[in-house]
Amino acid sequence: MAEGEEEVNYASGVFKAGNNHPPADSAGHLRFQHLAPCLGILCVILLGGLIGVRVYQSNVKDLSAEVQELKTRILELETQKNNLTQQIQNLTTNWNDLNVSRAQWSIDSYCLGNIDKKCEACQKGWKLTAPSCCQYNYLPSLRWKTWEEAQKDCSGNNSYLAVAHDSEEKEAINVKSIGYNGYWIGLRVVNKKWEWVDGSNLTDSSWIDPPADGHCAVFKKDKDTWSSVSCNLKRQWICQKKALSV
């Protein structure tokens, strides 16, 4: 080598064709990075499933409790129904017994005490005005009643203020009446029209003046028409009930 020249060394290397592979630890790190999101998603799905199962179990438990409560309530209602049914049966029996008793009392009141042992169509003190029986409360003026008081008195005797639906009934009441002071009958103004105590309407408007609020009908013997007066006035009264078929 000539003096003054520098010595230069070159390193030699061998290169092979093909892919360049990263180190092993780098490859594993890359695979983990790809798997991590999947594992996270899977964990979320599993967590959601567990929550769903817990909610379902809770709902099933609540539903079971509600079903049991409904069953208990149904049993209670069945018991109440049975009790009410029994009460209705008892009341029906008592009512039937009472009706039989009242019917027997009614028959006795029509039949007993007669010398010929025959039943009469009307009770003692009542007059037959076919097809009904009437009681003419012909009393001193101090014992007269308002229309409402008279109707209440009739109700206490299992009857009602007299009703005349046709001319025959009207005439029958007139024939058996006593005195000329006038009697309350079961006709009054309701909703601006004449109405009988049985709920039917007056069919012949010529029998009385046009309806006036607060007015009731008074019958007077031997008069074809009736008087329309205040229901608060006091008058005698006629009670009526069905006659006994004999």
Side-chain angles (χ1 to χ4, degrees):
M1 179 178 296
E3 187 178 14
E5 293 181 359
E6 295 181 0
E7 183 177 358
V8 180
N9 294 322
Y10 296 94
S12 61
V14 179
F15 297 93
K16 294 182 179 180
N19 296 329
N20 294 327
H21 297 283
D25 56 344
S26 297
H29 180 70
L30 289 174
R31 284 195 295 271
F32 178 76
Q33 287 181 336
H34 286 95
L35 291 174
C38 296
L39 292 174
I41 294 173
L42 181 60
C43 290
V44 171
I45 293 173
L46 291 174
L47 180 61
L50 290 174
I51 293 173
V53 169
R54 293 292 296 174
V55 171
Y56 174 76
Q57 290 176 341
S58 177
N59 291 339
V60 169
K61 184 177 180 180
D62 292 342
L63 287 174
S64 298
E66 291 179 4
V67 169
Q68 186 60 42
E69 184 178 351
L70 287 174
K71 288 182 178 179
T72 302
R73 183 59 178 160
I74 289 172
L75 290 176
E76 292 175 353
L77 291 174
E78 286 288 342
T79 301
Q80 293 178 7
K81 175 187 174 183
N82 293 335
N83 291 337
L84 289 173
T85 300
Q86 185 61 48
Q87 291 178 20
I88 291 173
Q89 292 177 348
N90 293 339
L91 288 173
T92 301
T93 300
N94 293 337
W95 179 253
N96 290 336
D97 292 343
L98 178 61
N99 283 339
V100 171
S101 176
R102 291 178 62 185
Q104 186 60 51
W105 172 86
S106 181
I107 292 174
D108 290 345
S109 67
Y110 282 82
C111 304
L112 296 181
N114 295 328
I115 298 176
D116 57 5
K117 297 182 180 182
K118 292 182 179 180
C119 293
E120 301 292 339
C122 297
Q123 295 171 259
K124 185 177 180 180
W126 292 69
K127 296 184 178 182
L128 179 62
T129 57
S132 302
C133 296
C134 285
Q135 182 187 59
Y136 295 82
N137 292 281
Y138 184 66
L139 302 171
S141 59
L142 291 177
R143 296 177 61 186
W144 291 1
K145 298 181 182 295
T146 66
W147 192 93
E148 289 287 352
E149 291 171 343
Q151 173 62 6
K152 185 176 181 180
D153 177 79
C154 292
S155 296
N157 290 319
N158 297 317
S159 60
Y160 46 86
L161 284 172
V163 173
H165 291 116
D166 53 44
S167 298
E168 287 74 16
E169 292 182 355
K170 180 170 175 279
E171 180 59 23
I173 292 174
N174 177 60
V175 169
K176 298 296 180 69
S177 64
I178 304 171
Y180 295 89
N181 291 318
Y183 297 84
W184 287 126
I185 56 177
L187 185 66
R188 64 174 173 173
V189 177
V190 179
N191 296 327
K192 301 186 181 302
K193 61 183 179 180
W194 287 108
E195 182 178 290
W196 292 106
V197 290
D198 62 5
S200 60
N201 294 326
L202 178 66
T203 55
D204 193 337
S205 59
S206 65
W207 292 354
I208 196 168
D209 292 335
D213 290 340
H215 276 218
C216 296
V218 170
F219 156 80
K220 290 186 179 181
K221 183 175 177 62
D222 295 336
K223 284 194 173 183
D224 292 332
T225 59
W226 298 326
S227 299
S228 173
V229 300
S230 171
C231 299
N232 292 323
L233 295 178
K234 294 192 175 184
R235 291 286 188 274
Q236 302 169 112
W237 66 100
I238 305 173
C239 294
Q240 186 181 66
K241 65 172 60 176
K242 184 176 178 58
L244 179 68
S245 298
V246 294

